[in-house]
Amino acid sequence: MDYYFRSYAAAKGKLQSADYQRSYAGMYAKENSLEDLWAKHNRDSRPFAHRMRSMSVSDIVVLTQGGKKTAYYADTIGFKEVPEFLAQQRVQKKHRDRGEAR
C-alpha cells in the first residue's frame, strides 16, 4: 500500500478497502466530532493503547448514523469523506456472499 501514512491527495485514486481491516468499533456520541475521535485515539490513555497504535494519517473512520454509513480518510489536516471506500466494500461483500474469489 504505497499511500500508507500519506495525505488524501497522495492516496486519491489508489485507495483500496481491501488494504484495511477493522481495528476498533465502538459507540460514538452525536455531539462528538471526528477531531474529538482523533484526539481520543492519540492520547496515551486511548482505548486498547497497549495493543493498538494511535490513529494516523491514512486511517479510515466509518460512522453509522441512522442506518447510513459514511467513510472518512484521516488526512494530514482534518478528514476527507471517501464514499468510494464503502462502494468497494459493498462489491467485495457481494463477491464473498456469492462465494466468488476476488
Side-chain angles (χ1 to χ4, degrees):
M1 177 163 106
D2 63 348
Y3 54 88
Y4 204 55
F5 299 116
R6 307 278 181 177
S7 69
Y8 179 73
K12 191 174 182 175
K14 301 175 188 175
L15 190 65
Q16 296 293 315
S17 66
D19 291 339
Y20 290 85
Q21 64 183 10
R22 181 186 296 190
S23 296
Y24 181 81
M27 299 298 289
Y28 182 75
K30 286 182 185 179
E31 63 272 5
N32 289 337
S33 68
L34 288 167
E35 286 75 16
D36 293 332
L37 196 61
W38 176 273
K40 178 179 182 174
H41 287 274
N42 279 290
R43 294 189 309 240
D44 289 338
S45 62
R46 69 185 175 274
F48 307 105
H50 61 286
R51 293 185 293 173
M52 288 176 41
R53 65 173 176 75
S54 61
M55 188 182 291
S56 302
V57 170
S58 78
D59 285 348
I60 301 284
V61 177
V62 178
L63 300 178
T64 304
Q65 297 172 310
K68 181 180 184 256
K69 287 186 177 185
T70 311
Y72 299 92
Y73 186 92
D75 207 349
T76 51
I77 298 176
F79 292 83
K80 171 76 175 146
E81 188 173 346
V82 286
E84 66 271 22
F85 182 84
L86 295 175
Q88 289 175 11
Q89 282 190 326
R90 285 190 293 274
V91 168
Q92 289 171 348
K93 182 182 183 320
K94 188 166 65 171
H95 288 286
R96 278 194 311 270
D97 291 349
R98 290 182 181 168
E100 298 172 8
R102 197 73 173 127

